Amino acid sequence: MSTRMKQIIKLNEQHAKVYDNIQFFDFYKKHLQDVRNKIIDYRSKIIADVGCGTGNFKNFVNNAYYIGVDICKEMLSTAKRKFSNSGNCDFILADAQHLPFKDSSLDAMVSVNVLYQLPEPQKFLTEAGRALKDEGTIVISTPYSESTFSGLNKAALYDLLKNPLLIFKFLYKLPSLRRGQEINKKIMEYSTLLPRSKLEQMVSNNGFEIISEEETYNNQNLLLTLRKRNNF
């Protein structure tokens, strides 16, 4: 494992302790809802969430069989505690670049804020193509080099103004939120933001057809909906 990846894992282990403090913001929930909306007829299907963190996307696909995958032990421990009473999910410790799935075994896959952290993102796309069924869907949300990073601060302020009761929760969680921001900045130092054109070329070269692409997460992320080409 590369030194860069070891550093990213170490930072994510630290991030796990404060990761869920952001989930009371509407802009965060809307981001996950945007991802969910791209999976057509997800009910009764097997969906892998690669780089699942603490498993928050599970709440958006309760009628599917959800498999959370992460390389961070602390993130998975939190996810398992949160969903210990759910019977339609599983959590697996694994590297996104070496997925523990059989060929053509998954109906759909999502990956949120993961691709830019990977030393070799093309390996993840190759693995995703292997594990998905023909015409399976993968939805990727990732920052990219043209991202507008100021949008999240504006979105957080708007959420607080819209619902003043959140201000008390915000003030209570402010130290943890600041800690999360500090860790995110360090993660960015070890990450690579690819240009939109490079991302489009990479997914095409790995056997995917782009169904849609748009900005999400208040213009910070590119949201790609991809379909695996048959017999690639």
Side-chain angles (χ1 to χ4, degrees), residues 21-160:
N21 286 314
I22 197 175
Q23 65 178 330
F24 70 88
F25 283 109
D26 285 344
F27 74 83
Y28 175 77
K29 291 182 250 184
K30 183 182 182 302
H31 179 210
L32 296 185
Q33 187 64 51
D34 286 347
V35 174
R36 213 295 291 150
N37 288 343
K38 296 300 179 181
I39 305 175
I40 299 173
D41 297 330
Y42 69 91
R43 293 169 179 81
S44 301
K45 292 188 175 181
I46 301 174
I47 298 176
D49 181 3
V50 180
C52 67
T54 60
N56 291 330
F57 189 71
K58 167 72 176 69
N59 292 316
F60 292 80
V61 288
N62 283 325
N63 293 318
Y65 191 86
Y66 172 93
I67 305 174
V69 178
D70 209 286
I71 200 169
C72 175
K73 293 179 181 178
E74 287 295 325
M75 290 284 193
L76 284 180
S77 293
T78 301
K80 288 177 180 179
R81 285 195 301 270
K82 285 162 60 175
F83 299 102
S84 60
N85 295 322
S86 296
N88 62 338
C89 66
D90 195 9
F91 293 94
I92 301 172
L93 181 69
D95 184 347
Q97 298 163 134
H98 304 281
L99 293 174
F101 300 116
K102 295 180 180 179
D103 295 357
S104 303
S105 59
L106 301 175
D107 298 299
M109 189 181 294
V110 299
S111 182
V112 179
N113 287 333
V114 174
L115 196 71
Y116 72 106
Q117 299 185 38
L118 300 176
E120 298 179 277
Q122 67 278 4
K123 282 191 175 181
F124 162 61
L125 291 169
T126 299
E127 280 289 271
R130 178 190 62 77
L132 282 168
K133 298 175 182 178
D134 284 349
E135 298 191 358
T137 300
I138 178 170
V139 183
I140 296 173
S141 179
T142 184
Y144 59 118
S145 63
E146 298 96 331
S147 294
T148 304
F149 286 97
S150 61
L152 293 188
N153 289 332
K154 293 177 181 177
L157 179 60
Y158 177 77
D159 283 352
L160 293 173

